């Protein structure tokens, strides 16, 4: 059935993301593409509070990563003084969006292991960009 295939596809993407994490520092998070994904413009300076679901574009992924960096997952990264003061220097950068895949780069020191950070980023991205 389509629901079973979609669920299987997400599990496969999650396993591939963890494998990519183990092999290198550039990782990807699988998301479903939108037919109108390229037509939506967005500002990185958007408010921190999560809003309505977004479509999958590089601009929207950057908006969501900004929300994660400074608000919703701030304890995972070294962007805020409280975390950086505790020795957390971890950063997350968008590399590219290619079809349904989002490639990110994790670097620096994290309080949590990288697989946990990747899982949290993926979960937050999929909450904000659910397609």
């Amino acid at each position: 059935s389509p629901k079973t295939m979609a669920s299987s596809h997400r599990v496969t993407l999650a396993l591939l993301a963890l494998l990519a994490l183990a092999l290198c520092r550039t990782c990807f998070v699988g998301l479903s593409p939108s037919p109108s994904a390229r037509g939506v413009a967005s500002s990185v300076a958007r408010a921190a509070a999560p809003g309505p679901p977004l479509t999958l574009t590089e601009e929207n992924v950057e908006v969501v990563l900004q929300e994660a960096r400074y608000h919703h997952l701030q304890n995972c990264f070294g962007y805020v003084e409280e975390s950086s003061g505790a020795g957390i220097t971890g950063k997350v950068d968008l590399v590219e969006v290619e079809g349904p895949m989002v490639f990110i780069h994790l670097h620096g020191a994290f309080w949590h292991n990288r697989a946990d950070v990747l899982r949290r980023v993926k979960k937050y991205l999929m909450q904000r960009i659910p397609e």
Side-chain angles (χ1 to χ4, degrees), residues 2-116:
K3 283 187 177 183
T4 304
M5 286 178 58
S7 176
S8 173
H9 181 67
R10 284 184 184 212
V11 170
T12 301
L13 287 174
L15 292 174
L16 288 173
L18 290 174
L19 177 60
L21 178 64
L23 296 176
C24 68
R25 293 179 186 255
T26 300
C27 311
F28 71 90
V29 178
L31 302 172
S32 300
S34 165
S36 62
R38 295 286 175 209
V40 176
S42 176
S43 169
V44 174
R46 180 178 287 193
L54 301 171
T55 56
L56 180 58
T57 66
E58 284 190 21
E59 292 165 333
N60 286 341
V61 170
E62 189 58 50
V63 167
V64 173
L65 287 177
Q66 282 292 94
E67 293 172 356
R69 289 175 183 127
Y70 291 98
H71 301 285
H72 302 285
L73 298 175
Q74 70 182 13
N75 64 332
C76 289
F77 305 110
Y79 293 98
V80 296
E81 188 175 331
E82 183 179 337
S83 296
S84 60
I88 299 171
T89 61
K91 308 283 186 205
V92 59
D93 297 315
L94 174 62
V95 174
E96 72 178 318
V97 175
E98 185 178 310
M101 293 183 290
V102 174
F103 291 84
I104 60 173
H105 178 74
L106 297 175
H107 53 98
F110 296 92
W111 181 261
H112 309 282
N113 69 50
R114 290 180 187 273
D116 286 342

